[in-house]
Amino acid sequence: MIKNHFTLLLSILLLLYVNTATIASQDYIRRNADLDLSPKNILIGSYIGGRSHVKPMLDIAAILIERGHNVILVTSGNYTPASEYPTVKQVSLGPTIDYNDMGGVTSSQKQFDYTAIKAFEGQILKSYSNNFEKFKNAAKEYNIDLFFCHALVNDACLDAAYVLKKPLVGFSSYAQMVAPATYKSDPILHCNTSLENASFFERFRCTIIQPIKMVFTMYPFANQLNNMRKQFNVESSSVGTGDLRRISLYLLDTFFGFELPQSLPPNIQEIGPVLPREYPPLTPELSDFINAHKRVLYVAFGARFTTTVENNSKLMQSFVEAINKNMIDGVVWALSQTSKDAFYPTLNPTDGSQIQTSSILNNEHPHIRIVKFAPQFAVLNHPNTKLFLSHGGAGSVHESLYTGTPMLVLPLGSDQMGNAEKLESAGVALSLNKMKLDVNDIINKMDILLKDENVKKNAKRMEALAKIDSKRKYRAADSIEYILYSSSLNEGISEGYLNEWAPADSRMGFIRGNNLDVYGAILVTILGLVGGILWGIFKLIRFIVKRNPSSDDQKSKRE
Ligand SMILES: *[C@@H]1O[C@H](CO)[C@@H](O)[C@H](O)[C@H]1NC(C)=O
Ligand SMILES: *[C@@H]1O[C@H](CO)[C@@H](O)[C@H](O)[C@H]1NC(C)=O
Ligand SMILES: *[C@@H]1O[C@H](CO)[C@@H](O)[C@H](O)[C@H]1NC(C)=O
């Protein structure tokens, strides 16, 4: 009894002690994680420009602006969405790039692959000196501390940073060129994105033959560009994709799960999907339309690529059939640059009826809404939007994954074929072949994507991943601030700058970096040993053979 009371007392005392300890913790001091960094000037540069290249960079810049830094945007044309970022000053490189001037980068091209650089090279060479001067002058005029360049087809921006010895952050959504992995390739090289289950010959073709072919195709262009660089006292370098030895940090706007997994060095960071904090709402008409339909297909292709009259009409016909079959009950098609005469005048669905395309295009069909532009994220984010038919550009893919919307992908060019394959392997999409568009194929695939339980599960999984990873744009801004901080301590870029992030192999050269000399030594040792043993055996055999004739002689003598 007494013992019990004692235990009770002890417990109460202990409780009191614990309580006072918690009270004492309120005196703790808050840890400070802020950098002591004065406001800096950052230049965002993109030659190709346009929403898909510039928007995610501006979304990262928006965070830096909130932290007190100044941002100027140097790009082709007049980037209109910059109105969403009113504090960003704009300097134009010249008129907006018209893709049709670039040798017709349209779906009429059989393959949009590495050879397509031929269509671009004239334009890139022609614009190099103008762009280089404009990037350089803008950097001087605005006293730029850091270049944030889109890393694809933007050599002038990368070179200007290099010549001015300014820290350079590269940006792209395309991992293949900057961080090659032995088990990955890309349809741009006429290979599959994953070589995991490829045969020996396929891996040989994709790791040796195709890259060599690409280098040969690019060689004359690289040569010309390097000659041009010489005029501006820029050392030769790679073309089109940026040289990691000149880039302090490379930000990849993608995320593993969509991108096939691989390891990355610390100076290449995947920080995507970068998405804006806010998005424009549905227009009242679209809102009414989508609310009134329970299974909506949203259709939008990029502004850059267009398809043929025949293919447009096939798409339209498959939508009408899918509605007739009650697979979907509504379609929203953002036609963007596709003009309204890019269709046959009449459609002939399989039910024998005849439909005037003009009536659909004039929004007289009760279940099809044709709009010029749609607030894409808002459409995808609506629970009634069940499927997205897209070209598979990185921005659209990110939005679709974020909202858990399965995709039917019609890749038209550049990174889109690879994106389609990655989405298929993530189990959230099926893809169409632009050269063999077929109404029944489209309908069958829509049916699978709408019904399959695995697709729904995978879409949920990818949605979770995209949501978590979308927070990493703050990490991107933090990393850029670190580079600004580190370079301000160093008074710019000097020897040893950012060695804490650059893996040593980049400084050790190809042979030492890959320990090829060590493996070579092992090979020589093994060959030497094997050779020695073989030589010994050879000597032994000769010795035996030499003795044998005498024993034969003896034998013959005995006989
Ligand atoms: C789609 O367009 C391409 C390019 O014009 C064409 O070659 C192809 O035949 C079209 N596909 C079909 C099924 O008509
Ligand atoms: C890529 O994979 C697909 C199947 O996913 C296959 O049909 C196609 O032939 C492959 N392409 C190449 C170039 O291996
Ligand atoms: C390759 O094959 C393995 C085993 O069948 C499978 O688990 C994996 O998903 C395949 N990879 C690809 C990219 O198809």
Side-chain angles (χ1 to χ4, degrees):
M1 197 63 185
I2 289 172
K3 203 179 164 201
N4 267 353
H5 276 120
F6 180 71
T7 330
L8 189 69
L9 189 69
L10 207 68
S11 314
I12 288 168
L13 278 177
L14 204 66
L15 208 66
L16 276 176
Y17 173 75
V18 169
N19 267 343
T20 40
T22 4
I23 290 162
S25 77
Q26 286 174 349
D27 295 339
Y28 275 31
I29 298 161
R30 202 189 165 93
R31 179 170 47 82
N32 177 9
D34 295 337
L35 284 186
D36 183 15
L37 185 65
S38 56
K40 300 284 179 191
N41 302 321
I42 298 164
L43 181 151
I44 294 186
S46 167
Y47 168 49
I48 291 189
R51 202 177 176 89
S52 57
H53 276 212
V54 172
K55 184 84 166 65
M57 297 176 82
L58 284 174
D59 288 326
I60 294 173
I63 301 169
L64 293 164
I65 291 170
E66 272 179 11
R67 297 181 185 175
H69 304 294
N70 308 307
V71 173
I72 68 156
L73 171 66
V74 183
T75 186
S76 303
N78 178 26
Y79 181 70
T80 35
S83 55
E84 298 161 35
Y85 309 87
T87 52
V88 176
K89 269 197 215 74
Q90 233 189 112
V91 175
S92 183
L93 290 171
T96 311
I97 295 171
D98 184 349
Y99 276 72
N100 296 320
D101 288 348
M102 280 205 171
V105 186
T106 62
S107 68
S108 50
Q109 214 168 334
K110 259 209 203 78
Q111 281 274 10
F112 183 100
D113 56 11
Y114 65 92
T115 57
I117 189 72
K118 290 241 168 287
F120 286 87
E121 59 186 36
Q123 180 105 10
I124 298 173
L125 289 169
K126 209 166 61 190
S127 61
Y128 180 83
S129 51
N130 167 59
N131 291 356
F132 181 78
E133 291 295 343
K134 287 213 166 127
F135 280 123
K136 222 170 91 175
N137 292 340
K140 284 182 180 157
E141 187 182 338
Y142 292 95
N143 202 10
I144 287 302
D145 298 297
L146 177 139
F147 276 73
F148 187 21
C149 298
H150 200 282
L152 294 185
V153 199
N154 199 16
D155 301 281
C157 187
L158 305 172
D159 288 348
Y162 179 68
V163 164
L164 296 175
K165 295 200 165 35
K166 294 292 174 191
L168 166 60
V169 176
F171 185 89
S172 130
S173 61
Y174 185 58
Q176 179 62 21
M177 295 298 172
V178 62
T182 51
Y183 39 83
K184 284 165 77 170
S185 188
D186 196 277
I188 282 190
L189 288 168
H190 299 186
C191 289
N192 276 345
T193 48
S194 170
L195 302 179
E196 184 177 349
N197 296 324
S199 67
F200 168 80
F201 291 105
E202 186 61 7
R203 283 184 291 123
F204 190 84
R205 190 178 70 85
C206 294
T207 35
I208 308 285
I209 312 276
Q210 292 304 107
I212 289 178
K213 273 195 189 164
M214 184 173 81
V215 168
F216 265 90
T217 311
M218 302 264 295
Y219 183 75
F221 165 55
N223 223 4
Q224 273 175 290
L225 186 64
N226 280 330
N227 282 338
M228 201 163 259
R229 280 172 165 154
K230 247 180 238 156
Q231 296 168 20
F232 296 95
N233 293 323
V234 185
E235 284 164 55
S236 304
S237 172
S238 62
V239 291
T241 51
D243 181 345
L244 205 54
R245 282 165 305 180
R246 290 185 185 178
I247 298 181
S248 307
L249 171 69
Y250 202 114
L251 298 177
L252 278 177
D253 181 15
T254 187
F255 61 106
F256 294 132
F258 162 55
E259 181 63 51
L260 305 177
Q262 70 176 97
S263 53
L264 289 175
N267 54 353
I268 303 177
Q269 298 185 9
E270 38 124 20
I271 46 85
V274 176
L275 291 166
R277 200 174 302 165
E278 292 166 341
Y279 60 93
L282 291 173
T283 58
E285 298 93 305
L286 266 185
S287 176
D288 289 347
F289 180 83
I290 300 180
N291 282 332
H293 294 84
K294 296 288 165 249
R295 278 161 294 128
V296 173
L297 166 73
Y298 171 57
V299 187
F301 301 107
R304 295 233 156 102
F305 298 89
T306 50
T307 179
T308 57
V309 171
E310 185 188 8
N311 289 344
N312 281 332
S313 308
K314 283 188 175 168
L315 289 173
M316 183 79 94
Q317 179 168 344
S318 37
F319 304 154
V320 171
E321 306 241 355
I323 292 172
N324 289 351
K325 287 184 168 40
N326 203 21
M327 283 163 45
I328 47 175
D329 61 3
V331 173
V332 174
W333 191 348
L335 268 188
S336 171
Q337 293 200 332
T338 309
S339 73
K340 294 202 169 183
D341 45 68
F343 294 90
Y344 292 144
T346 53
L347 299 177
N348 301 298
T350 40
D351 65 1
S353 63
Q354 210 184 42
I355 298 182
Q356 302 296 315
T357 351
S358 58
S359 72
I360 297 181
L361 292 170
N362 294 330
N363 279 332
E364 284 155 23
H365 193 293
H367 305 302
I368 301 180
R369 263 305 145 274
I370 304 287
V371 290
K372 192 151 174 55
F373 293 105
Q376 177 156 303
F377 191 86
V379 174
L380 290 171
N381 207 27
H382 196 291
N384 288 356
T385 305
K386 302 293 185 199
L387 188 61
F388 182 18
L389 173 53
S390 159
H391 62 313
S396 295
V397 167
H398 292 168
E399 292 183 349
S400 201
L401 293 174
Y402 191 97
T403 55
T405 317
M407 297 177 85
L408 184 57
V409 192
L410 176 58
L412 299 174
S414 66
D415 60 341
Q416 297 158 14
M417 291 98 70
N419 289 346
E421 275 190 28
K422 290 170 201 166
L423 289 168
E424 281 194 69
S425 82
V428 296
L430 291 172
S431 63
L432 302 169
N433 182 341
K434 72 173 184 192
M435 299 312 288
K436 289 187 240 156
L437 264 193
D438 174 64
V439 174
N440 286 327
D441 183 45
I442 298 173
I443 295 176
N444 288 340
K445 286 180 174 160
M446 277 170 46
D447 196 36
I448 295 171
L449 289 166
L450 288 165
K451 285 193 184 139
D452 193 314
E453 285 304 318
N454 279 330
V455 171
K456 293 193 177 116
K457 221 188 294 169
N458 291 333
K460 285 237 170 294
R461 194 166 47 82
M462 294 302 283
E463 178 181 339
L465 206 47
K467 283 185 171 161
I468 291 168
D469 284 343
S470 71
K471 296 170 191 160
R472 296 187 303 181
K473 66 178 181 176
Y474 295 96
R475 165 80 189 168
D478 290 344
S479 302
I480 290 177
E481 281 201 304
Y482 173 66
I483 298 222
L484 282 165
Y485 186 74
S486 163
S487 62
S488 69
L489 289 180
N490 265 350
E491 310 254 330
I493 298 184
S494 51
E495 196 57 31
Y497 158 73
L498 226 59
N499 271 4
E500 66 272 35
W501 269 357
D505 58 357
S506 64
R507 298 186 291 275
M508 290 167 74
F510 183 70
I511 293 184
R512 288 180 67 234
N514 289 299
N515 267 349
L516 293 185
D517 47 354
V518 173
Y519 297 133
I522 291 182
L523 196 67
V524 168
T525 313
I526 292 174
L527 286 180
L529 276 177
V530 171
I533 292 169
L534 286 179
W535 189 74
I537 293 173
F538 173 73
K539 277 284 181 192
L540 195 68
I541 290 173
R542 256 189 43 177
F543 178 70
I544 295 167
V545 169
K546 259 193 189 158
R547 274 185 47 174
N548 269 357
S550 58
S551 62
D552 282 353
D553 286 353
Q554 281 167 5
K555 260 187 220 161
S556 53
K557 268 178 196 166
R558 259 185 246 135
E559 281 161 9

